Amino acid sequence: MNQRTFRTAAATGCALLVAAVGPACTGTAHAASPVGLATARVADAVRFPWLVGPVVVAHRGASRAAPENTLAAVDAAERQGFKWVENDVQQTRDGKLVVVHDGTLTRTTNVKRVFPQRAPWRVRDFTAAEIARLDAGSWFGKGFARERVPTLREFLRRMDEHDLRLLLEIKNPQLYPGIEGRIVKELSAAGWLDRQHVRRRLVVQSFGANSVRTVHGLVPEVRTGFLGNPPLNALPSYARYVDQINPQLSKVDARYVAAVHRLRGAHGHRLDVFAWDVPLQNHLGIASTYGFDGVIV
């Protein structure tokens, strides 16, 4: 295949690719030659368009295909071609770390039926063993009835099995004094603070600036992000301990993103911007318009 043919195939998608070099979109093993590897990458980009352009993070796992923040959502993210997964970590009454978004268990589990007398059913009021009894999948679909709220250790293990990268959010840190140290300890025990994970597979973020600063102080080598859009004049102070500013799409414009990009973060590199609430179907156009480095979809 000459370069002109290859560029045409990449631009126009799988139909031309098949015409030029054969059935490259079937998911079969990739050829070992440079052209074969390049062809495979184009084929993957046709099947998974979020593999090209900015970093695309599966919000709470592939939460359109499986119940959010479950191991099934991690599996679905891997099947759909995502490389990055975002999750939310909170703490139980007995100091264990679990992956769940809301401060209460009512929306995504059957906690009201299992523990009817325990209103308002806050995560922090239940032990890890009690939370493990809950059904965290039926609300999404009957086929997910066996899904449970995973512990952080279980979640990390499944992420490793799929060689996925993690954007870990410390949720409601003000409710859990010392949670940062417990998360760091868990990451270390699971092997997520080695060179490979720290350099390419892990970012820790939070809406709590103090929480992010604490993580940076405990493990300065770990990349961190602040969830929100600090005022422009405050950005230099954030840059001392974060590598990313991660705002909601509706709260920023291209000028704000450009201002963030002018600063270097905690590890000496240009600050990145990962926006959330970005629709997957138009993420490439939105990222280009705003200048985002990543989108959480």
Side-chain angles (χ1 to χ4, degrees):
M1 177 190 291
N2 61 37
Q3 288 300 312
R4 181 179 178 182
T5 302
F6 182 78
R7 285 195 298 268
T8 301
T12 57
C14 194
L16 280 178
L17 190 69
V18 170
V21 299
C25 296
T26 60
T28 56
H30 300 149
S33 69
V35 170
L37 291 173
T39 298
R41 285 194 289 269
V42 173
D44 282 344
V46 171
R47 291 184 297 130
F48 308 121
W50 43 90
L51 291 181
V52 298
V55 173
V56 181
V57 185
H59 192 209
R60 307 177 200 171
S63 52
R64 294 174 180 82
E68 64 183 57
N69 275 325
T70 62
L71 300 185
V74 176
D75 295 340
E78 190 275 336
R79 287 195 304 271
Q80 292 182 2
F82 286 96
K83 300 300 183 186
W84 282 86
V85 167
E86 183 264 358
N87 74 354
D88 306 277
V89 178
Q90 298 193 66
Q91 185 175 298
T92 65
R93 191 178 75 191
D94 52 343
K96 307 299 183 182
L97 299 171
V98 290
V99 178
V100 61
H101 177 271
D102 295 1
T104 70
L105 295 157
T106 55
R107 181 176 63 86
T108 57
T109 77
N110 62 342
V111 67
K112 287 185 177 181
R113 182 174 65 79
V114 178
F115 299 104
Q117 307 302 320
R118 300 278 293 275
W121 300 286
R122 293 175 298 203
V123 174
R124 59 180 171 149
D125 293 336
F126 289 81
T127 66
E130 289 171 334
I131 291 176
R133 293 173 52 189
L134 303 178
D135 175 349
S138 290
W139 67 274
F140 188 90
K142 292 181 180 179
F144 296 100
R146 295 185 177 182
E147 286 302 311
R148 296 291 181 259
V149 175
T151 64
L152 178 58
R153 178 66 67 91
E154 291 168 337
F155 200 92
L156 294 172
R157 187 179 303 121
R158 188 62 59 90
M159 293 283 290
D160 260 338
E161 289 173 4
H162 293 311
D163 194 28
L164 293 171
R165 306 173 186 188
L166 178 61
L167 180 59
L168 184 158
E169 179 182 344
I170 304 175
K171 202 74 180 177
N172 302 319
Q174 70 281 2
L175 300 178
Y176 313 111
I179 189 174
E180 298 84 7
R182 284 181 279 277
I183 288 173
V184 168
K185 183 177 180 180
E186 193 70 28
L187 289 169
S188 179
W192 273 70
L193 293 184
D194 64 12
R195 183 179 177 86
Q196 180 204 37
H197 287 81
V198 166
R199 291 189 66 181
R200 58 181 288 269
R201 293 186 56 193
L202 176 66
V203 177
V204 178
Q205 65 173 0
S206 181
F207 284 100
N210 288 336
S211 187
V212 178
R213 188 185 296 111
T214 297
V215 170
H216 177 67
L218 290 171
V219 277
E221 63 272 22
V222 170
R223 288 180 293 164
T224 53
F226 175 72
L227 278 162
N229 54 312
L232 292 177
N233 61 1
L235 286 173
S237 64
Y238 285 82
R240 298 189 187 103
Y241 58 89
V242 305
D243 302 277
Q244 299 178 359
I245 298 293
N246 299 342
Q248 189 174 16
L249 172 63
S250 61
K251 300 296 178 60
V252 294
D253 55 22
R255 188 170 66 173
Y256 183 89
V257 175
V260 175
H261 282 162
R262 284 194 287 270
L263 297 171
R264 292 187 177 273
H267 291 94
H269 304 293
R270 189 193 72 171
L271 279 178
D272 283 341
V273 180
F274 279 35
W276 48 282
D277 267 2
V278 177
L280 178 61
Q281 63 271 23
N282 193 30
H283 75 277
L284 283 173
I286 291 172
S288 177
T289 298
Y290 286 79
F292 295 140
D293 306 284
V295 291
I296 305 168
V297 300

